[in-house]
Amino acid sequence: MMGLLETLSVALDRPLFPWKGLIIGFGVAQYVFESYLSVRQHRKLCETTPPKALEGAVTQQVYDKSQAYGRAKSKYGFVSSLFSQLTNIATIQLDLLPKLWELTGTYISRYAPAQFSGEISQSLLFFITFTVASNVINLPFSYYKTFYLEENFGFNKQTRKLFFADVIKTQFLIAAIGSPILAGFLKIVQYFGTSFFYYTWLFVLFVQAFMITLYPIFILPFFNKLTPLKPGKLRTDVEALATKLEFPLKHLYVIDGSKRSAHSNAYFYGLPWSKHIVIFDTLIEKSETNEVVAVLAHELGHWKQGHTTKLFGISQIHTFWMFALFSAFINNQSLYQSFGFFNEQPIIIGFLIFNDILSPLDTFIKLLMNVLSRKFEYEADAFAVKLGYSADLAKSLIKLQIQNLSTMDTDWIYSSYYYTHPILPERLRAMGWKGEKVE
């Protein structure tokens, strides 16, 4: 494998090769394609008749409101994606990466103690500065989406104080957690040379396991509050379901999702031998007990049928493959020079550029993963149906669709490219739903 990667590395390092133009071309082509898909979907959102599978389940008023919400998000997406594309082109064309790298290097040399000099310290400052700048640039879009788009449709529950507090907390956590992870990654690459990908893969695997443990204890409390589900029928039924499926349930929580949004959800997380179920308070408030249990039967179906393990395994293969391929680019002088780095080849810069190169191929992988993910969703639905939750799951899915004003029909190409879940009419047909109005 090392020999193949070395051969690829030599073949790719071609003097004066227009890497910058190639990456911009990739980005523009992807933007044009995705815009085409968005236009197709926007046309679907202008339709006035519900899909036949939902005609007896949702009212015309609900359907019209869902379509209006979808169009509002679609218009927002057109503007935000165009801005993102223009920002990316400007960053490349104006050589902002080498300028920011030089600026952070100057700051380190002038003000930092001698022991903090070197590529890793400069990379950490570059990383923090780059993420802060990116968040500031995108802040108006986040603000508009929260306080205009979401609020106009009754979903936003945040105050402006909470919104900006979240922005500051997020940036703090990115710096506090991301910096040591980045430092470890860079140190491994420096130490092991071109064979680093074996060790960075193991490092990322360790970080993922660590974050699963760290997240509910130190990260989640910054934003939400988890409280044990109170004794009652819902807790009894969920615990009985977990016992029946031999699910290693350790904690059963309710999360105060209503603090920020009216959207509903439920999920589980944890290590293989210790799992935690989290139910949004909005889901409990707006659903019958059996419907909440049916949603969890679907979620636990993913676990019982090994979907989470399979997806985790695939993600590890992808991570290893990505790092291995990066080793063929890490010493590519023509690539660095094309982006204005003539005297040094910072690892973090190489990785950022490499991700832009990888983007078209990752898009194809994403498409395949969506196909697999939708297959798993059908299987999890079928699992819940076999447990006897067919009617309750169908009613719960319809209620969630109505409460979240989720898109009720999609263009088939758009959904194939973007959606990890089948749309509601497809799921109801697969479950044999006959159609019944849901209150």
Side-chain angles (χ1 to χ4, degrees), residues 124-143:
L124 295 181
L125 182 58
F126 174 90
F127 163 71
I128 293 171
T129 307
F130 186 81
T131 53
V132 169
S134 298
N135 286 336
V136 169
I137 290 171
N138 289 300
L139 188 59
F141 288 93
S142 299
Y143 185 90

Side-chain angles (χ1 to χ4, degrees), residues 57-122:
V58 299
T59 64
Q60 185 67 43
Q61 182 181 9
V62 168
Y63 178 75
D64 291 342
K65 190 174 182 181
S66 169
Q67 291 290 85
Y69 182 50
R71 289 193 297 273
K73 290 192 294 181
S74 176
K75 293 174 183 176
Y76 169 83
F78 283 126
V79 177
S80 61
S81 61
L82 175 60
F83 179 79
S84 178
Q85 183 61 32
L86 293 175
T87 302
N88 192 47
I89 292 174
T91 300
I92 295 173
Q93 287 291 74
L94 300 176
D95 288 330
L96 296 185
L97 291 180
K99 289 175 182 176
L100 182 57
W101 180 258
E102 183 180 358
L103 180 65
T104 53
T106 300
Y107 185 89
I108 291 287
S109 62
R110 287 183 180 177
Y111 302 108
Q115 61 266 34
F116 290 105
S117 62
E119 182 182 347
I120 291 181
S121 295
Q122 187 174 346

Side-chain angles (χ1 to χ4, degrees), residues 173-200:
L173 288 172
I174 289 173
I177 298 174
S179 294
I181 293 173
L182 176 61
F185 169 76
L186 296 174
K187 193 66 178 179
I188 290 170
V189 175
Q190 288 180 344
Y191 185 83
F192 289 102
T194 54
S195 63
F196 70 86
F197 54 89
Y198 293 108
Y199 307 98
T200 51

Side-chain angles (χ1 to χ4, degrees), residues 280-349:
F280 278 54
D281 56 354
T282 47
L283 180 63
I284 296 174
E285 178 187 344
K286 298 175 182 178
S287 303
E288 300 294 332
T289 296
N290 288 348
E291 294 167 357
V292 176
V293 177
V295 170
L296 292 174
H298 167 93
E299 294 301 326
L300 298 191
H302 285 304
W303 170 81
K304 190 67 174 181
Q305 297 180 102
H307 296 164
T308 51
T309 303
K310 291 171 186 175
L311 290 175
F312 180 76
I314 292 171
S315 73
Q316 295 309 308
I317 294 172
H318 178 259
T319 301
F320 181 83
W321 171 82
M322 178 185 67
F323 284 141
L325 193 57
F326 177 47
S327 70
F329 286 87
I330 194 169
N331 295 319
N332 191 316
Q333 292 185 5
S334 64
L335 178 64
Y336 283 96
Q337 290 174 2
S338 181
F339 280 81
F341 291 87
F342 298 97
N343 300 318
E344 52 186 333
Q345 298 177 184
I347 297 167
I348 189 173
I349 299 296

Side-chain angles (χ1 to χ4, degrees), residues 14 41 157 222 318 320:
R14 300 168 59 188
Q41 176 60 14
K157 302 299 179 183
F222 273 87
H318 178 259
F320 181 83

Side-chain angles (χ1 to χ4, degrees), residues 9-27:
S9 177
V10 172
L12 291 171
D13 195 355
R14 300 168 59 188
L16 303 179
F17 186 81
W19 287 105
K20 185 184 287 189
L22 181 67
I23 289 174
I24 290 177
F26 280 162

